Amino acid sequence: MNIKRTKQLLLMGSCLLPSALVCGNALATTSAVPQNNYCTSSGGGNYEHIAGVSTGGVNNISSGQSAYTDYTNLTAELSVGQNQITLTPGFVNNAYTEYWSVYIDLNNDGDFSDIDELVGSGNGRSALTTTLDIPASAEGITSRMRIAMKYNSPVANACENFNSGEVEDYSVIIKKRDTTQLENTCLSQTPTDQSALVDGVPVCVKSSSQFQSFSVPGADTAGSVAITTSYGQGNLTLEARNGEGGYPRPGDDSIRSKHIGNTECVVISNPTKYWTNIVMRGLFKGATIVADLGATSCRKEPGPIDPGNVAYEFSHVNVIIFPISFNGTPLPWSRDQINADMETVKQYYAEQSYGRFNVTWEIKPEIYINEPKSKYDSDTKAWHQLYADKIAEAGVDMNFPGEANLVMMAAPQVSTINSQAGPPFIQLYHHKPGTIAHEMGHAMGLRHSMSVEAGNHVINSGNDTIRNYGNPHAMMGMGAHTLEEYNLMYKSYFKGWLTDAEVPLITSSGTYRIYAFDHGTANGTNAPGNIGLRLMSGNGDYTYWLEYRTTNDRYNTNTKNGVLVNIKGYMENEPLPSFWNHRSALLDMTPNSKDNSRWAQEDETDAELAIGKSFTDPWNGFKITPIARGGQEDSANAWIDVKVEKL
């Protein structure tokens, strides 16, 4: 039977020909071609239809009910092995469970009845992404693919006529799988929901602000596994390990690829476990990943090694603010108060940068959630998805809002979630200028100001750890509530805030004067000389930052009696590219002088190296001793002299 009919198609993109695979808001028609001796099959009913088929370069979106449609003028290019296909049902009203069956005439004998010609199946009430298994014997053929979607149960065979659903036919070309190239799958596929990668089949990965993970089965019989990622925006690191020990974790012995951008390559030789486990870490979207069993090289070569998040590159930042309220729980932060608090934040950053940084902001219309907050107090996962969806509906990508933009969601506190942030997004539940300034630091790429915990030693005890919030004097440590100063090392992270002349790198012995750095204004440092010193460790791996801080409104004024020392690069094991390689750790020059019985960071409140006391770099780079202080106390003219002896 030769069926010839037309059906309107809504295709995406811009069409020049009716058979174009990607069209833009245009209507096209397609006519059936002679079916040769293929059996007929059709669905029916008025409730569901096939709304989308995406595979092998075909991305066919259709609307309206039809029992059968011939799309053999559309050709999918498939490869030997496993291929991804996304099948989308359409409904007039409610969604129902639909069963999918995909047949390919693999030997071109005019039927779908051979034992291996049911190449894919699955079911669901929404879009289904599954795989099509193509045997090597089909390589090189041009043939027909039949897709049947049936309500409530799968079709018995490719020739069934049924009451509820639709059947569509397509053309296919079966090619040899090319493992030398990597296609940008996100141009033609939706991001995958699968957790296991199929040998040789690239997939589009969901966007991430932290990580996505996959596994590769059958690795132990392959001899090697090559994993390649590429395309999209952002910066990811690729980690993989033999199945023993689970998924890669920060600081373990997993193989890692850390290069600029999303192109990464990891090869595991001689895997001994059935699974190879993979983690993609970082802020990225639109990335493709593929795992090739038996391969010893990747499909793409990465670019330069990633030096880490070495600086915030802009002299300004704009904060896009989304106020949110709930039914029965309004946001306790009026528009006028938002503007007033942001003015305080703007002034704070102007002073911290010595007039070299500007903050702007825009307040979006309030998002009203017509549900009680209590619903999300008990389901914080749903809450995170809800505000992400609402921000997206407003036309802003909260992970990629554009250069020098941050996105801040401000809401009544949900459950016990604290205010938190990571580039470039802020969740704000504590509506105070200090909290805003602190979370903005995170959103621009800074971790907390931490400290080294070395027992009775200052550093290099053999059992050192890094203590979170360990710097009680600094904005990014415990000083947010009273708008304390950024530590000097963190100021250097912002491009243009400091010059090398203001904080010189010391390479010879001598006595050096440091002026207080915490009395600057938007007019400058106000100091007549250096506001800090830098020294390299003897092994060349770490940088010490010496600062003279004379004020701390919250804890004590002991800092004016010595210098505070932060170290950069020590025990650096940050897993996320957004925060790599710029974490400060305060050295406690009087370890265990306080017992921390009241709170964890109390011992660091007297961390300064006092006048007359000495510290020696354990890697034999230098010895430092503050020897005198003077100038006008509690002003930018206050100074301290430090004797430096190079070893």
Side-chain angles (χ1 to χ4, degrees), residues 23 44-45 104 181 240 272 297-298 310 320 344 347 350 381 408 410 414 417 434 452 486 504 537 559 568:
C23 315
I104 296 179
Q181 303 297 317
T272 59
S297 61
C298 291
V310 295
I320 306 169
T344 300
Q347 181 61 31
K381 183 178 180 180
M408 183 165 71
V414 174
I417 305 174
V452 177
Y486 267 96
S537 60
T559 57
K568 176 185 176 183

Side-chain angles (χ1 to χ4, degrees), residues 177 179 199-201 224-228 290-295 297-299:
R177 184 169 299 284
T179 60
D199 176 26
V201 180
S224 62
V225 183
I227 303 136
T228 313
V290 65
D292 294 312
L293 295 179
S297 61
C298 291
R299 300 196 191 188

Side-chain angles (χ1 to χ4, degrees), residues 336-592:
D336 287 346
Q337 191 60 53
I338 293 173
N339 282 314
D341 289 342
M342 290 302 298
E343 285 288 353
T344 300
V345 171
K346 176 185 176 74
Q347 181 61 31
Y348 171 80
Y349 273 98
E351 293 175 354
Q352 292 301 297
S353 65
Y354 310 121
R356 300 162 187 172
F357 191 78
N358 186 43
V359 175
T360 59
W361 64 94
E362 52 185 301
I363 307 173
K364 295 292 187 179
E366 183 177 279
I367 296 171
Y368 176 69
I369 308 298
N370 192 21
E371 297 173 302
K373 185 176 75 71
S374 58
K375 173 180 176 179
Y376 298 98
D377 287 335
S378 57
D379 190 352
T380 56
K381 183 178 180 180
W383 163 238
H384 293 312
Q385 187 61 57
L386 177 65
Y387 69 64
D389 291 343
K390 293 294 185 182
I391 291 172
E393 289 171 9
V396 175
D397 185 335
M398 69 184 200
N399 289 324
F400 291 89
E403 290 187 345
N405 281 323
L406 307 179
V407 176
M408 183 165 71
M409 181 282 300
Q413 188 174 24
V414 174
S415 186
T416 57
I417 305 174
N418 284 323
S419 297
Q420 53 190 280
F425 178 68
I426 301 167
Q427 294 181 61
L428 191 76
Y429 304 105
H430 307 86
H431 314 107
K432 300 292 183 182
T435 305
I436 298 167
H438 178 96
E439 301 303 341
M440 284 175 60
H442 287 318
M444 289 185 283
L446 290 174
R447 285 295 193 196
H448 288 134
S449 297
M450 303 188 186
S451 65
V452 177
E453 176 53 54
N456 292 321
H457 296 75
V458 174
I459 192 173
N460 201 35
S461 68
N463 195 34
D464 291 4
T465 59
I466 299 296
R467 175 174 284 176
N468 197 17
Y469 285 106
N471 190 332
H473 310 286
M475 162 57 71
M476 297 308 295
M478 297 294 291
H481 294 288
T482 48
L483 287 168
E484 301 298 340
E485 202 85 3
Y486 267 96
N487 70 54
L488 206 57
M489 188 201 130
Y490 270 5
K491 288 194 179 194
S492 75
Y493 169 76
F494 294 94
K495 188 176 181 179
W497 284 26
L498 300 176
T499 67
D500 289 343
E502 290 167 335
V503 189
L505 179 65
I506 304 304
T507 58
S508 59
S509 298
T511 298
Y512 298 88
R513 177 161 292 180
I514 307 175
Y515 287 88
F517 81 106
D518 53 344
H519 295 279
T521 65
N523 296 318
T525 68
N526 301 322
N530 298 336
I531 57 171
L533 303 176
R534 289 174 289 149
L535 291 159
M536 295 301 298
S537 60
N539 61 6
D541 292 338
Y542 315 122
T543 306
Y544 294 86
W545 287 75
L546 278 62
E547 64 184 39
Y548 187 40
R549 181 190 297 262
T550 64
T551 58
N552 189 310
D553 296 333
R554 190 173 188 190
Y555 299 117
N556 59 55
T557 57
N558 290 339
T559 57
K560 68 179 62 177
N561 298 317
V563 293
L564 292 172
V565 181
N566 288 282
I567 190 168
K568 176 185 176 183
Y570 185 63
M571 297 185 69
E572 180 70 61
N573 61 354
E574 171 58 53
L576 291 177
S578 303
F579 294 109
W580 277 350
N581 296 344
H582 206 104
R583 184 196 63 201
S584 73
L586 178 69
L587 302 187
D588 185 359
M589 296 299 180
T590 57
N592 287 338

Side-chain angles (χ1 to χ4, degrees), residues 78-93:
L78 305 180
S79 301
V80 169
Q82 293 191 317
N83 302 260
Q84 188 178 71
I85 187 170
T86 299
L87 303 164
T88 304
F91 302 100
V92 173
N93 292 306

Side-chain angles (χ1 to χ4, degrees), residues 7-8 48-51 62-67 69 90 92 166 168:
K7 179 178 180 180
Q8 288 188 324
E48 61 267 297
H49 66 282
I50 297 176
S62 57
S63 61
Q65 282 70 47
S66 294
T69 310
V92 173
E166 186 179 357
E168 293 181 349

Side-chain angles (χ1 to χ4, degrees), residues 159-388:
C159 303
E160 181 179 344
N161 297 295
F162 48 95
N163 294 326
S164 299
E166 186 179 357
V167 177
E168 293 181 349
D169 280 357
Y170 294 83
S171 296
V172 292
I173 295 175
I174 309 298
K175 304 182 300 179
K176 181 178 180 179
R177 184 169 299 284
D178 183 1
T179 60
T180 64
Q181 303 297 317
L182 182 62
E183 64 180 291
N184 186 350
T185 60
C186 293
L187 296 179
S188 59
Q189 297 178 8
T190 57
T192 184
D193 287 319
Q194 67 193 69
S195 59
L197 298 179
V198 175
D199 176 26
V201 180
V203 296
C204 178
V205 184
K206 289 182 177 180
S207 298
S208 168
S209 60
Q210 292 191 332
F211 68 90
Q212 296 287 353
S213 58
F214 297 93
S215 58
V216 184
D220 56 337
T221 62
S224 62
V225 183
I227 303 136
T228 313
T229 63
S230 195
Y231 302 114
Q233 294 178 262
N235 186 24
L236 66 85
T237 177
L238 178 64
E239 307 173 357
R241 67 181 294 115
N242 205 16
E244 185 174 10
Y247 283 85
R249 297 181 181 277
D252 69 11
D253 60 353
S254 297
I255 302 174
R256 289 176 168 83
S257 179
K258 292 184 176 183
H259 299 80
I260 296 173
N262 288 345
T263 300
E264 304 290 356
C265 166
V266 165
V267 178
I268 294 184
S269 301
N270 301 315
T272 59
K273 300 297 179 182
Y274 179 75
W275 297 103
T276 288
N277 295 324
I278 302 166
V279 174
M280 302 163 68
R281 296 192 194 276
L283 175 66
F284 59 88
K285 71 175 181 179
T288 291
I289 187 170
V290 65
D292 294 312
L293 295 179
T296 57
S297 61
C298 291
R299 300 196 191 188
K300 279 182 169 285
E301 287 299 319
I305 296 294
D306 192 347
N309 185 29
V310 295
Y312 180 81
E313 293 289 337
F314 307 101
S315 60
H316 63 282
V317 69
N318 181 60
V319 185
I320 306 169
I321 303 171
F322 286 90
I324 296 180
S325 63
F326 296 90
N327 185 348
T329 311
L331 178 69
W333 201 31
S334 69
R335 196 177 188 88
D336 287 346
Q337 191 60 53
I338 293 173
N339 282 314
D341 289 342
M342 290 302 298
E343 285 288 353
T344 300
V345 171
K346 176 185 176 74
Q347 181 61 31
Y348 171 80
Y349 273 98
E351 293 175 354
Q352 292 301 297
S353 65
Y354 310 121
R356 300 162 187 172
F357 191 78
N358 186 43
V359 175
T360 59
W361 64 94
E362 52 185 301
I363 307 173
K364 295 292 187 179
E366 183 177 279
I367 296 171
Y368 176 69
I369 308 298
N370 192 21
E371 297 173 302
K373 185 176 75 71
S374 58
K375 173 180 176 179
Y376 298 98
D377 287 335
S378 57
D379 190 352
T380 56
K381 183 178 180 180
W383 163 238
H384 293 312
Q385 187 61 57
L386 177 65
Y387 69 64

